Amino acid sequence: MRQHILNSWLVAALVALVCLLGVTAYAEVKNDLRPIACPQGDKGDRKPAATCVP
């Protein structure tokens, strides 16, 4: 019975770690995509210039 409880706690800790890593990775990717989503040099003849604020 003790082994079963220990395994449950280890699985719960592993799931929590994976969730935290996923949230951290998502936050970093979200911050890195901001400059890519708003290109400055993508201007056409009849298109307005991109108005991006860093």
Side-chain angles (χ1 to χ4, degrees), residues 7-52:
N7 285 343
S8 298
W9 277 105
L10 289 175
V11 168
L14 183 63
V15 168
L17 181 64
V18 169
C19 288
L20 288 173
L21 287 174
V23 168
T24 303
Y26 174 76
E28 289 297 321
V29 168
K30 185 178 175 184
N31 286 340
D32 287 344
L33 285 180
R34 219 177 281 165
I36 296 172
C38 190
Q40 295 292 329
D42 199 17
K43 301 174 188 172
D45 288 338
R46 299 179 190 262
K47 294 180 183 176
T51 56
C52 297

